[in-house]
Amino acid sequence: MANLDPLANRSDAELLELAVAGEESAFRLLYEKLKVSIFRYVFFMTGSRSTAEEVTQEVFLSLIRDGGRYERNRGEVASFALGIARNLVRRIERRERPYIPISANDEFEQGALRAFSAHGECGPLPGELIRDELIAKLHAALASLPRHYRQVVVLCDLCELTYADAATQLNCAVGTVRSRLNRAHALLAQKLKPLKGPQPDIRTAGPEGCAI
Amino acid sequence: MNCKAFRARFEVHPHARANLGVDSTEAGQHLADCAECKDFVETQREVVAGLTLLRESEPGLDSSFDAGVIARYRQQNLSRTSPQSFCLPPRSFTIFCVSGAAAVLAVIAVLLVYGIHKPLSTVIRPQPMPAAASAKPVPEARSATVSRKVALSRANVLRKAMTGKSSKTLQPPSNPSAATALGEDDPTPAAFRGLMYCDPLSCGGPMEMIRVRLPFFPDAFPLGLTSTNGVVYADVVVGSDGVARGIRILK
């Protein structure tokens, strides 16, 4: 760790220069700074951990390979890296399905079936399973949004970028980001409405009451 | 406050959405009175809660993944500085060599072309005479480019030749086509009277024709030749050695 100390006060742009030149400690520091935000963005945009890991790795290798294209006056290194991630995600989306239907969640269905068969009759579901189900539904709802709405939700709500930073990243006006976010929240609210319906009393309703 | 104004306040920041309904007195009053906006605020809060849960569910990156990324970075570094990159000559050096070779070839070509097409502006190429040259006309010079020079300084060479064999050399040929051949293979051009023994071996090579002005001597020039101002003009062919080969008097 001692060899990182001289680099701790360097800016991201300087670290990138050093990393491009072959300085491994500079690359490690830059990687630690940016990896979470890059991974988070890709994970929530694609809904897949394996895809997020692949893309994150590719983003950093591209950052070193194409580091000469970075211009300090055009923004921070984090924005540059996020831009690379966005392009890679776009390529993946062109190859794969654009939407994941809410009902098509194999993990949830398998988990519910296991719980049902394990309890024999419809007993109380483990809290983790309910939570996992809700998270899966949220992922599906997010994935079902049109791309330009999904992007603002991921950037502003999940990656916690400001409206200005998100607007810079998307190359649009701040007002556009706000209006898209409003619309995205309205769409999400519609998709999440079935989840907040009154839950049947699973101890008395019988097997059919367990269907969620 | 109306519903439109109330909902517009939610656009400031997504994380402040859930609080806007209760932070402002005016907004709070509107909420108490408007069931639709109350439902709207509740929906927005649930969306925010869901997104918060989603964010908390984000998986972390384990150390094995980090090690893999560092390993790829090292591999990429090695591939950029591998010796293979030094095996290929620089592109600029290759271009320089090709350009240099092309320039040398161009120079050689120019020299060859120049050597073949040497200018003949002042050259008369003598044609070798056939065996029975005395009975046959002297072939004319094939060179199409014969320029005439007036060189008064060369007249001195002529005068020496004239004084040596003046009567003979200045005799105009009665038949220009049959004259001037002192040797069987005299390369002196037609219509010129030979001033020295010439054959292709002794008088070979290019010749130069000059025009000279001679003083008029009635006894020395052919009969019938007159001069109004006491001079006559003549063309003299001179070899590359500077020795006059032949002469013709201009009437």
Side-chain angles (χ1 to χ4, degrees), chain A residues 19-20 22-24 28 31 35 39-40 43-44 49 53 57 61 138 157-158 160 163 182 185 189 196, chain B residues 11-12 14 17 43 46 50-51 53-55 57-61 65-66 72-74 76-77 80:
Chain A
V20 170
E23 182 69 38
E24 184 178 313
R28 283 176 179 267
Y31 172 72
K35 69 176 182 180
F39 177 82
R40 180 177 296 159
F43 175 72
F44 287 120
R49 179 178 182 167
E53 288 178 347
Q57 190 175 89
L61 295 177
L138 288 168
D157 290 332
L158 300 173
E160 294 186 319
Y163 280 170
N182 263 338
H185 282 196
K196 76 162 193 174
Chain B
E11 294 184 17
V12 174
R17 283 171 175 264
T43 303
E46 287 172 359
L51 291 173
L53 179 62
L54 197 61
R55 184 146 180 256
S57 70
E58 174 197 345
L61 292 168
F65 175 79
D66 296 341
R72 287 286 302 275
Y73 169 77
R74 286 175 186 160
Q76 192 165 297
N77 259 350
R80 278 190 299 165

Side-chain angles (χ1 to χ4, degrees), chain B residues 51-123:
Chain B
L51 291 173
T52 303
L53 179 62
L54 197 61
R55 184 146 180 256
E56 289 171 356
S57 70
E58 174 197 345
L61 292 168
D62 54 21
S63 56
S64 61
F65 175 79
D66 296 341
V69 173
I70 301 297
R72 287 286 302 275
Y73 169 77
R74 286 175 186 160
Q75 190 180 6
Q76 192 165 297
N77 259 350
L78 280 175
S79 63
R80 278 190 299 165
T81 58
S82 67
Q84 187 179 1
S85 64
F86 294 109
C87 290
L88 300 173
R91 199 173 183 182
S92 59
F93 179 71
T94 305
I95 294 172
F96 174 76
C97 288
V98 171
S99 303
V104 169
L105 287 174
V107 168
I108 293 172
V110 167
L111 289 175
L112 286 174
V113 170
Y114 178 77
I116 292 171
H117 296 289
K118 200 169 181 181
L120 301 174
S121 59
T122 60
V123 171

Side-chain angles (χ1 to χ4, degrees), chain B residues 16-64:
Chain B
R17 283 171 175 264
N19 298 324
L20 285 176
V22 297
D23 283 351
S24 165
T25 306
E26 191 178 2
Q29 185 63 44
H30 179 78
L31 265 183
D33 300 334
C34 180
E36 283 186 12
C37 287
K38 198 172 182 180
D39 189 48
F40 171 78
V41 170
E42 189 59 32
T43 303
Q44 293 300 315
R45 283 180 181 168
E46 287 172 359
V47 169
V48 171
L51 291 173
T52 303
L53 179 62
L54 197 61
R55 184 146 180 256
E56 289 171 356
S57 70
E58 174 197 345
L61 292 168
D62 54 21
S63 56
S64 61

Side-chain angles (χ1 to χ4, degrees), chain A residues 102-103 108 133-134 137-138 141 144 186-200 211-212, chain B residues 43 46-47:
Chain A
I102 293 178
S103 60
F108 156 66
E133 171 200 343
L134 185 58
K137 292 286 187 186
L138 288 168
S144 66
L187 289 173
L188 275 177
Q190 288 177 11
K191 292 176 188 298
L192 296 177
K193 256 183 189 176
L195 296 179
K196 76 162 193 174
Q199 296 294 321
I212 300 174
Chain B
T43 303
E46 287 172 359
V47 169

